[in-house]
Every structure is written in structure tokens, then in C-alpha cells.
Amino acid sequence: MAGYVSDAVIRRLPGYYRYLQELEESGEKQISSQELGKRMGLTASQIRQDINCFGGFGRQGYGYEISKLKEHIGEILGIYKDHKMIIIGAGNIGQAVANYANFPKEGFDVIGVFDNNPNKVGQKIGGMTIRELSTLGDFLDQKKVDIGVLAVPAKDAQSLTNLLVEKGIKGIWNFAPKDIKTPEEVASVNVHLSDSLQVLSFKMTYDKEDDK
Amino acid sequence: MAGYVSDAVIRRLPGYYRYLQELEESGEKQISSQELGKRMGLTASQIRQDINCFGGFGRQGYGYEISKLKEHIGEILGIYKDHKMIIIGAGNIGQAVANYANFPKEGFDVIGVFDNNPNKVGQKIGGMTIRELSTLGDFLDQKKVDIGVLAVPAKDAQSLTNLLVEKGIKGIWNFAPKDIKTPEEVASVNVHLSDSLQVLSFKMTYDKEDDK
DNA sequence: TAGATTGTTAATCGATTAACAATC
DNA sequence: TAGATTGTTAATCGATTAACAATC
């Protein structure tokens, strides 16, 4: 359906989904681009442009049917598909992701957790037994895994990425404080929590000098 | 020093810091915008433009002195300052942040953790005793806190934001799956992990149809 | 000096906003 | 029908890239 979709648009899609879900839960049936824009802090124009990257889901003179638009955007995001995930690194972040309650109901299903620390291997987190990292290759040979979550130190990020890619992973969600390189056909998203905290730190300093 | 700095530039700053640190650790002394661009996947032009938002740190015919530029960008980001942080919500993410090893050495210091679950209050995480959420207001009256980390359910995010703002917090690092509103003088950064996973899901689906 | 590379101005590109005809 | 609001084209704005004089 969609042709080229810019990164700027892609990054806004989950926000649309969240706001539409909230509206749906509050019992609303319909919304105009103007009203949605007011709530989200976007212009009505931008919302219509964004949505029309994927086709005309609205109705002139009426607006958008909330549940239908939400459904469409969920579909576009691919969140109704079944995603098999594994987590590599059972440290703070690996554990948080393993236990994160929001995923399963949306089709993101953790089927394995790996670590190379002997004290952790065999322990359970989020109902899963932590496996020895050296068994990762075999695991990937045997099971279909869609998403690899990298929650390891920076120095291990690229070599593990290479292994995942070699074994046919489709996407990598990278929490290591290091940018990873994947071939074009393997999607990746970097989270970089520490970067995000530094951005906050910057804004705390510089906002004061802002004069607009 | 700096006038208006666009969000696009701000978001790249932590990346510069990371790459420069890595170069420094590997013993490099000097780098040109061209070479740095190659490593980071940016154009040399963009790097020079970005850096010159904050002043001329380079030398013609030579490039940039790595340790000096790193230091400058660290300064700009404000990461050498002392930041007192509190964490609100001792669930998966709150715990991960409390235990996150990368912060203290860079001046981000967690001085309190709060939760409203009686089973959690009194327990220890990251060397801190979890406090009853209802004591948050008093705590903020007594101590100077710079950053509040929100790791709570969506429904509680805005009311806790309001409390933090009222008590004079300077920045909010928001992990709740909900956009928060703060007055202009209070900085905030949303992390929205679930959004980021959905972006990955989208890219896994649509990259294949991409024809460039 | 010659070569390299910055700092900065100008050109281009892409994303956002405005406008308005189509139509519910 | 009249009013509202979309889908879409055109105008504007801002960010990225290119170019080049300045200078180390």
C-alpha cells in the first residue's frame, strides 16, 4: 500500500495509536484531525498528511472513526502479528524487558533469555529460565525468532548483532550504548537510554537561555 | 553561548560524545569531520554545522582534538554537573534505572525511590530503601531534587508530573506510556519503550517494500 | 609554501503548514 | 441544502548538503 514513508511519520505512528486507544476507551466514536491535533500537539494538516500516507481512512464532513483508524494504524505498525522475541543479556534492562507486561497482549512474545554469566544461567526471570549465551546459535537454528533484544555491554553489541543477522533474525531492538550495523534487510532500532538522559540534561541547562 | 539549537542537533549530541569517547579510549588524538562522519554515518558538513552551533572547536588543516571536543560536548550536555534524581515507581523499569550502572560516574545520582505498593515499600533496590509514595511531597520539600524519573502506569503520569512541577523539579524523564505536559521551564523527555518496539515492528514489515 | 580542513555562506532538499476543491 | 471536514496540491519553512574562502 504505502510508498516511501519518512522516518518523521513513522515515529509519530505509535503516538496516534496510543491517543486513539485512549479515545476509544473513553467511549468516543469519532474525531476530526483538528481535535486530534489539539490533543496531540500537532497541526490538523500534519495529521491528515500522515494518515494519507497509508490511504484515506476519513470521511469528509465527519472526521475519522476512532476504532477503525486505530485498527488500521495497528495493522500498519504490525502489532497484531505474532512476534517471537529473545532477550540477550539478563541484566537490568534485559530483566525489565522480560518482565514488561505490555508486550504479550500485543503479540510480542518472549521465548528465550540468554546470558553468559554462570551465576545467572539457570535462574528464572519473567517465567523463563536463563540460558547459557553459548547456546544461542543452536537455539536460533531450531526456532523461528523474529526479534532479538540486545541488552548487553557496548563491546558485545556488534558481534552478537552479526550472529543474529547470520541466523536470519528480522529485527533488532538494541539497548546497548552503541550503534549497531545491520544489512538493509534487517531492521533495527536503537534505544540508547543514556543518550536520552543526556538530552534531558541538555534541555535543563539550555531551555533557560531560550527566548521564544 | 549557543543561540537556538534545533532538536535535530540536540538529539545527535550524545552520539558525538559516545563516538569521541570511544576514539579517545582507543588512543586517537585527532579527527577530521570527514573521518568522524564516516564512522557515525553523517556527512562532514553536518558535523561541522552541528559543532559550530556551540563555537569553533576545530583547527583548519588539522581537524578536532578528540579529548577537547569530547570535553566541550560533555559540558554542553551538562553531564559533569551533579544531578540529583528520584525514581517514582519501583516496577521493572524503575528498578532497571535504579540499578543502571552507567549513571553515577557521570554525575547522575539516585537519592530516592518511591512506590505505592505496600509490598514493595521498605524493600531495597540498588542500595536504596523504597519509600511510600505518599511521602514524596515531604521528601521534595526537604531535599533538592533535579530530575524525577517517572516509571508509573499511564494513568498516574500527569498527576505525578504536576506534583513534581509544583515542588520545583527541573526535569522529568518519563517512561510512562503517556505524553506528559510540563510548563516551559520544566524540561521533559519521553522514552516510550513500547512506541520504539512498534517502530521496529513497522520497519520489519515495510522495509521489504522499500525500493531504494 | 602546499595541502588539508575548518567555519560559514549559499543551494538544495525534505518536511510542515496553508489553502481549497471535493464530498460526506 | 448548508456546514463541516477530508484528501491533496501549493507555499513555506527548516534542516541538510555543497561550496569555498579563510587559515592552520
Side-chain angles (χ1 to χ4, degrees), chain A residues 12-71:
Chain A
R12 282 192 292 269
L13 293 176
Y16 289 128
Y17 190 81
R18 254 188 300 118
Y19 277 87
L20 290 166
Q21 183 145 56
E22 197 177 282
L23 284 160
E24 192 182 35
E25 277 165 11
S26 76
E28 303 288 322
K29 296 297 175 213
Q30 162 280 344
I31 195 160
S32 66
S33 55
Q34 174 132 102
E35 174 61 21
L36 185 58
K38 209 163 80 185
R39 294 188 187 232
M40 294 186 66
L42 304 173
T43 64
S45 228
Q46 180 162 62
I47 287 177
R48 295 203 300 278
Q49 289 275 26
D50 284 357
I51 291 175
N52 278 74
C53 291
F54 305 98
F57 299 135
R59 217 164 84 212
Q60 280 102 327
Y62 174 82
Y64 300 89
E65 199 180 307
I66 288 169
S67 63
K68 197 176 117 198
L69 182 58
K70 189 202 93 171
E71 202 82 355

Side-chain angles (χ1 to χ4, degrees), chain A residues 163-175:
Chain A
L163 176 61
L164 291 171
V165 166
E166 188 188 309
K167 298 291 185 184
I169 207 99
K170 297 206 210 99
I172 298 178
W173 200 22
N174 177 40
F175 288 82

Side-chain angles (χ1 to χ4, degrees), chain B residues 73-92:
Chain B
I73 292 178
E75 202 74 60
I76 289 160
L77 286 168
I79 62 184
Y80 306 127
K81 288 186 191 170
D82 187 50
H83 298 267
K84 298 294 182 204
M85 295 170 66
I86 56 170
I87 297 170
I88 304 172
N92 299 315

Side-chain angles (χ1 to χ4, degrees), chain A residues 14 18-19 22 76-78 81 83 92 99 173 177-179 184 192-193 195-196 198 201-202 205 212, chain B residues 14 18-19 22 76-78 81 83 92 99 173 177-179 184 192-193 195-196 198 201-202 205 212:
Chain A
R18 254 188 300 118
Y19 277 87
E22 197 177 282
I76 289 161
L77 286 169
K81 287 185 191 171
H83 298 267
N92 300 316
N99 289 309
W173 200 22
K178 164 113 187 165
D179 300 332
E184 237 190 297
H192 294 336
L193 291 182
D195 283 23
S196 142
Q198 290 176 7
S201 170
F202 175 90
T205 312
K212 69 151 184 194
Chain B
R18 252 187 303 117
Y19 278 86
E22 199 177 281
I76 289 160
L77 286 168
K81 288 186 191 170
H83 298 267
N92 299 315
N99 289 310
W173 200 20
K178 164 114 189 167
D179 300 331
E184 237 189 298
H192 294 336
L193 290 181
D195 283 23
S196 144
Q198 291 177 5
S201 170
F202 175 91
T205 312
K212 69 146 185 198

